[in-house]
Amino acid sequence: MPALAHIVSAAWRQRLMPALIALQVVFASMILVNALYLFWQQLAPMAVPDGIAPKQVLVVDQLVARDGRWNAAQVQAGAQRLRALPGVRAVAPGIGVPMRESISFELELGAEGGPLANASAYAGEGLIDALGLELIQGRDFKPDEHFDFDLSGDRPALAPVILTRALAKHLFPEGDALGAQLGDGDHQLVVVGVVRHLLRYQVGELDDGRAEFALLLPARVTGTPVLSYVVRTELHRLDAVEEAIPDALRQEFGAAIAPGVPPAVASYERLRALAFQPRRAALWLLGTVCAVVALVTGLGLASLTAYWVEQRTRQIGIRRALGATHQQILRHFQLENLLLVGLGAAIGVPLALAANQWLMQHYELPRLPLPWLPAGAIVLLLLGQLAVWAPARRAASIPPAMATRSA
């Protein structure tokens, strides 16, 4: 504690330089904490495994019916035509397909007395096989569990459901989800299985830890104006199957397809890249902001510290002449920097929260979670220690005789 008291006393006697260091940290923390959080908001969904078989899945979408709706016979005939193509392993008609929002289907559900969640629903036959999902608990749907489903939303009063692991943990944080019932308005769902990963297809709903709030329903698609299929191919056959699908659809449906709206066929990887393109642009922008703020702050702290060290060369020399070791001088400046940066962070981090509140009101940015405040303070403390390292080493390396000759 004597060393700490000595540092505080010395800083108080020469208040201008410590105040400048702390003030720089205050302004840096207001910007850096918010920028880092926004950077993570954009990055987090892109880092989540999607659970889909790599380089094997094609999404067929935008099949618009000329007469307004596709009936069950047409849906199944189209699936059979696609299954007959060489290189196709599995086909699943669906309402809700990866990275496409032609038709969006969401459910607000939760167990009695438990947390609620808004989840994206994938409705179709054979989706686990077609998407290549990994079932880690329970089972797939049985053939007799499938029900006819159209946009009217009619479903059985009690139906099986398969959840993602992330959604199961959210809804049942203290227990096993298998066999549990979930309420969805007038309907009940019974959890029969859990898959390891599956991203939502609503790209705008991937933030705040909700990227995998998705579920599967055993539905036979019918009565939908826009028809979608998930097609899983054999390895190395994806491109050939993609080229063959448009002709197969024209042969099967012909004039039943609405004119002027060609079916859209694309690999899942291409759709994912297009969907995440705005996020990648935001990452470059926010990453640049974070890097510039960190660089300017680090250089500023290093320059101010170096100047302050230069002003105290004689004091350092006297301490060295009295027996202070290299490590003691080094630790002195590291501790001094830690105190000053900590003071700036203690002021700046709450101001970062206030800045976030202002941004929420005027620009609809997400709320800054409280755990990010100490995380931002730690980043600034580490940045301060990095900035002070070189000036402190130079100070500790000054020979006592040279230092005492300085004015």
Side-chain angles (χ1 to χ4, degrees):
M1 295 305 293
L4 182 60
H6 174 72
I7 291 173
V8 173
S9 176
W12 182 253
R13 287 196 302 270
Q14 303 177 20
R15 293 186 288 274
L16 178 59
M17 197 58 63
L20 289 175
I21 293 174
L23 190 62
Q24 184 173 18
V25 175
V26 169
F27 286 110
S29 60
M30 292 175 61
I31 301 172
L32 195 59
V33 172
N34 281 287
L36 285 172
Y37 174 62
L38 292 175
F39 182 88
W40 175 250
Q41 280 282 103
Q42 298 297 325
L43 176 64
M46 299 176 64
V48 174
D50 50 45
I52 293 175
K55 299 181 180 180
Q56 298 176 49
V57 174
L58 293 165
V59 176
V60 181
D61 193 35
Q62 209 170 281
L63 267 168
V64 182
R66 177 192 288 268
D67 297 333
R69 292 188 178 246
W70 300 103
N71 58 44
Q74 290 173 311
V75 174
Q76 292 302 321
Q80 289 298 331
R81 173 73 69 166
L82 294 175
R83 290 189 186 103
L85 293 175
V88 171
R89 293 179 56 180
V91 176
I95 292 179
V97 290
M99 296 297 165
R100 298 286 293 182
E101 295 186 65
S102 299
I103 296 178
S104 184
F105 179 26
E106 295 181 273
L107 296 176
E108 185 77 26
L109 71 167
E112 185 176 356
L116 298 176
N118 180 275
S120 299
Y122 290 79
E125 294 180 89
L127 283 169
I128 287 184
D129 189 22
L131 292 170
L133 304 180
E134 181 184 358
L135 193 67
I136 58 173
Q137 285 183 286
R139 60 173 176 82
D140 199 351
F141 301 119
K142 298 177 180 178
D144 60 357
E145 290 176 330
H146 291 81
F147 55 87
D148 291 337
F149 180 78
D150 58 25
L151 294 185
S152 67
D154 290 336
R155 290 182 278 127
L158 185 65
V161 66
I162 294 175
L163 309 178
T164 60
R165 180 174 60 177
L167 182 58
K169 286 184 176 181
H170 174 80
L171 295 173
F172 304 97
E174 298 181 356
D176 191 355
L178 290 181
Q181 289 194 9
L182 297 170
D184 168 36
D186 297 330
H187 303 87
Q188 290 289 317
L189 301 171
V190 179
V191 181
V192 299
V194 177
V195 294
R196 187 177 299 279
H197 296 292
L198 178 60
L199 287 180
R200 306 180 72 164
Y201 53 88
Q202 291 96 341
V203 179
E205 300 291 335
L206 299 182
D207 295 319
D208 299 326
R210 302 172 300 177
E212 291 190 272
F213 281 17
L215 57 86
L216 299 157
L217 290 172
R220 286 187 293 267
V221 178
T222 181
T224 176
V226 181
L227 186 54
S228 303
Y229 293 100
V230 176
V231 179
R232 185 178 178 188
T233 71
E234 297 173 358
L235 283 172
H236 313 300
R237 299 295 298 274
L238 185 139
D239 292 339
V241 174
E242 182 177 357
E243 292 179 4
I245 284 177
D247 287 338
L249 295 175
R250 282 192 292 269
Q251 293 173 15
E252 180 60 40
F253 296 119
I257 300 176
V261 188
V265 183
S267 67
Y268 172 74
E269 284 77 13
R270 191 184 314 159
L271 292 176
R272 179 186 169 103
L274 288 172
F276 285 157
Q277 187 172 356
R279 287 182 178 271
R280 287 195 296 273
L283 284 175
W284 278 107
L285 176 61
L286 292 168
T288 301
V289 170
C290 293
V292 169
V293 172
L295 180 62
V296 170
T297 303
L299 291 176
L301 291 175
S303 299
L304 290 172
T305 303
Y307 178 77
W308 199 19
V309 168
E310 184 69 24
Q311 297 301 304
R312 292 180 293 173
T313 301
R314 183 176 180 82
Q315 299 175 23
I316 297 168
I318 292 173
R319 290 194 61 189
R320 292 297 309 276
L322 293 175
T325 66
H326 181 282
Q327 289 299 320
Q328 287 174 331
I329 298 296
L330 188 63
R331 283 197 298 269
H332 173 93
F333 285 104
Q334 288 178 317
L335 180 58
E336 183 179 75
N337 178 273
L338 189 67
L339 291 174
L340 295 176
V341 174
L343 175 63
I347 299 172
V349 167
L351 290 178
L353 183 60
N356 175 257
Q357 298 294 319
W358 185 85
L359 292 170
M360 285 175 54
Q361 294 177 5
H362 293 84
Y363 297 100
E364 298 183 358
L365 291 183
R367 181 186 300 276
L368 180 66
L370 292 180
W372 277 84
L373 300 181
I378 292 172
V379 170
L380 289 165
L381 291 173
L382 293 175
L383 183 62
Q385 290 298 294
L386 183 64
V388 79
W389 179 253
R393 281 181 60 86
R394 286 198 299 270
S397 301
I398 296 175
M402 183 182 296
T404 54
R405 287 197 301 268
S406 300

